Amino acid sequence: MEKTEVVVIGAGIAGATMAYHLTRSGCSDVLVLEREESPGYHATGRSAAVFTRLTDDDVFVRLSVLSAPFFQSPPEGFSEVPLLRPNGTLMVAQGPRLKLLRAAAALARRVGIESNVLSSDEAVEKVPALQRRFLDGGVFFPADGLLDVHAILWGYLGAARRAGARLRVNSEVTAIRVEGGRVAAVETRDGPVQCRWVVNAAGAWANRVAAMAGARPLPLTPCRRHIVVVRPATPLAVDDWPLTTDQSRNFYFRPESGAILVSPMDQDPMEPCDASTDELRVAQAADLLTRFAPAIAPGRIVNKWAGLRTIAADRAPVVGEDPAVKGFFWLAGQAGHGINTSPALGRIAAELLLKGTTTALDPALIHPARFSRGRLSLGLIAARRVWFLARWLARGSSDSLV
Ligand SMILES: Cc1cc2nc3c(=O)[nH]c(=O)nc-3n(C[C@H](O)[C@H](O)[C@H](O)COP(=O)(O)OP(=O)(O)OC[C@H]3O[C@@H](n4cnc5c(N)ncnc54)[C@H](O)[C@@H]3O)c2cc1C
């Protein structure tokens, strides 16, 4: 029977960064199994490809801050093209939302996320498509930007392969064998593969894969989100514009090769699937531009797609060994931040798998066991998160928090 130390299920960004960081940490006996014909076919290949550090979840903020240096200055030989185009992020809002946004930005500055507070005039100067009457002001994050997801994904996979890892596509894992409470092998159409570890990097299918190992399902919900690419009726020089998010109306847009990529930031729960578009959501995206940024109102829709963002009940990612099935390791629930946070999340996941600990954050905040002990456990985790955030704010942007 074929044998390997670690089987990684899924060649999206999660499986790719895991393989990369395992091999960099000296574990090169890694086999990545991907059901589809090519890596990145699902969520990873359908993202908006933006790098924003200020999000609604402090764990993801931490992971994004830790990930920034990797994108800004990747290791020698990782990619021939830049991974990050620093166009920045402009967040605009009205009324109480603007107050909240500015308060969050002030806190974020304490952990190294630089930003400039903008008046409505200054925001419109940056993105002339915005309408002054729909915003009271904004905050600009100059070090954010647009990611080259293809280069990042293939950078991880290429480096992992050069270090000895193997990638097999068209190779669905159909069963997981557990012996004496520990994973022993996975079944594929090409036969079984004996292994000591199985990494569940199956994205929206994470609970289906867990069921194969007899692990308890976790509160993870795949939610569909749409992206529409439009060519404005009147040509405009948009390439240097930042990602612009309207916090009061919940939509964002950014330049995409001379056109505009827009998302209505929808979040419809779904069963895991090859997500297809819903014309109502596509129309909603076009309508948001027409109403709130008419200068870039669509002349023509040139592309549209939908993908699944998999979100945990407490919105933090799920990383760590299953509490009941030894050797079954979760790397799931990256929500809308899986690309953004992949350098740090991959490093932390590899550390947890190989050493059982990490210094980057409190591992309990992301461990799958946080869901298995009921409300009390979730309450304790919430308190630990507050404590973690307070310590981080007090210390600033240091790499280690332990
Ligand atoms: C519209 C949209 C916009 C987004 N924008 C951003 C953004 O701007 N920035 C950001 O950081 N993130 C963004 N995200 C989120 C990001 O795309 C995800 O967090 C990330 O791609 C998740 O990666 P993954 O590897 O876990 O999942 P996936 O990319 O879905 O990979 C999982 C893989 O597992 C495989 N698989 C499943 N079951 C099996 C099996 N039994 N055997 C073998 N293989 C299996 C699947 O085929 C799949 O390829 C966005 C997502 C969407 C949908």
Side-chain angles (χ1 to χ4, degrees), residues 312 314 316-318 364-374 377-378 381:
D314 63 357
V318 179
L365 304 184
I366 54 175
H367 199 277
R370 69 188 191 268
F371 297 113
S372 58
R373 296 183 207 113
S377 162
L378 281 175
I381 290 294

Side-chain angles (χ1 to χ4, degrees), residues 131-193:
Q131 297 272 296
R132 213 169 266 104
R133 66 197 157 108
F134 293 129
L135 53 112
D136 293 336
V139 180
F140 181 62
F141 300 86
D144 288 353
L146 311 180
L147 294 169
D148 186 331
V149 178
H150 182 82
I152 297 166
L153 178 69
W154 284 99
Y156 289 138
L157 290 172
R161 276 209 288 208
R162 288 192 293 280
R166 288 162 299 144
L167 165 67
R168 201 167 292 157
V169 294
N170 292 317
S171 189
E172 179 171 8
V173 171
T174 52
I176 298 174
R177 224 182 282 163
V178 175
E179 288 166 8
R182 185 173 183 101
V183 294
V186 299
E187 303 282 351
T188 73
R189 249 179 300 158
D190 307 321
V193 182

Side-chain angles (χ1 to χ4, degrees), residues 124-399:
V124 174
E125 208 172 296
K126 276 213 177 300
V127 178
L130 290 170
Q131 297 272 296
R132 213 169 266 104
R133 66 197 157 108
F134 293 129
L135 53 112
D136 293 336
V139 180
F140 181 62
F141 300 86
D144 288 353
L146 311 180
L147 294 169
D148 186 331
V149 178
H150 182 82
I152 297 166
L153 178 69
W154 284 99
Y156 289 138
L157 290 172
R161 276 209 288 208
R162 288 192 293 280
R166 288 162 299 144
L167 165 67
R168 201 167 292 157
V169 294
N170 292 317
S171 189
E172 179 171 8
V173 171
T174 52
I176 298 174
R177 224 182 282 163
V178 175
E179 288 166 8
R182 185 173 183 101
V183 294
V186 299
E187 303 282 351
T188 73
R189 249 179 300 158
D190 307 321
V193 182
Q194 194 179 322
C195 56
R196 264 179 43 78
W197 289 93
V198 170
V199 176
N200 180 5
W205 290 266
N207 272 333
R208 300 250 170 109
V209 165
M212 293 179 198
R216 274 181 52 167
L218 297 182
L220 287 166
T221 310
C223 295
R224 184 174 61 179
R225 173 157 292 183
H226 283 75
I227 300 272
V228 180
V229 181
V230 301
R231 199 158 293 285
T234 318
L236 277 172
V238 298
D239 280 348
D240 293 333
W241 286 4
L243 165 77
T244 304
T245 70
D246 186 327
Q247 302 281 307
S248 297
R249 291 170 190 88
N250 271 341
F251 77 106
Y252 63 73
F253 61 88
R254 70 158 177 85
E256 166 78 3
S257 312
I260 292 287
L261 177 155
V262 56
S263 173
M265 292 172 73
D266 47 322
Q267 200 159 287
D268 300 320
M270 308 226 129
E271 287 299 306
C273 64
D274 188 353
S276 56
T277 53
D278 172 344
E279 285 313 307
L280 276 177
R281 290 294 190 194
V282 174
Q284 184 193 359
D287 178 59
L288 282 162
L289 280 187
T290 307
R291 283 195 294 148
F292 300 111
I296 45 171
R300 196 160 57 91
I301 291 178
V302 289
N303 204 353
K304 58 188 173 184
W305 64 85
L308 299 178
R309 300 151 81 244
T310 301
I311 305 171
D314 63 357
R315 305 193 74 82
V318 179
V319 188
E321 189 177 22
D322 187 81
V325 183
K326 295 293 146 217
F328 185 76
F329 191 96
W330 292 79
L331 178 50
Q334 297 92 331
H337 319 291
I339 321 286
N340 263 356
T341 57
S342 59
L345 212 47
R347 173 164 69 90
I348 289 168
E351 281 173 0
L352 287 174
L353 188 146
L354 296 172
K355 300 185 206 146
T357 187
T358 178
T359 57
L361 48 66
D362 177 356
L365 304 184
I366 54 175
H367 199 277
R370 69 188 191 268
F371 297 113
S372 58
R373 296 183 207 113
R375 280 179 199 283
L376 177 64
S377 162
L378 281 175
L380 287 174
I381 290 294
R384 278 176 93 143
R385 278 179 78 149
V386 173
W387 171 237
F388 160 76
L389 186 60
R391 269 192 321 148
W392 188 26
L393 287 168
R395 280 202 211 176
S397 58
S398 65
D399 194 45

Side-chain angles (χ1 to χ4, degrees), residues 34-80:
E34 169 54 50
R35 177 187 52 201
E36 305 292 349
E37 202 169 275
S38 60
Y41 174 78
H42 288 287
T44 297
R46 305 176 193 205
S47 86
V50 294
F51 180 68
T52 21
R53 284 167 299 169
L54 184 63
T55 69
D56 57 359
D57 180 278
D58 49 294
V59 173
F60 279 117
V61 174
R62 168 81 180 148
L63 294 168
S64 302
V65 167
L66 291 178
S67 295
F70 186 96
F71 293 132
Q72 287 156 346
S73 172
E76 184 78 31
F78 185 85
S79 167
E80 284 173 7

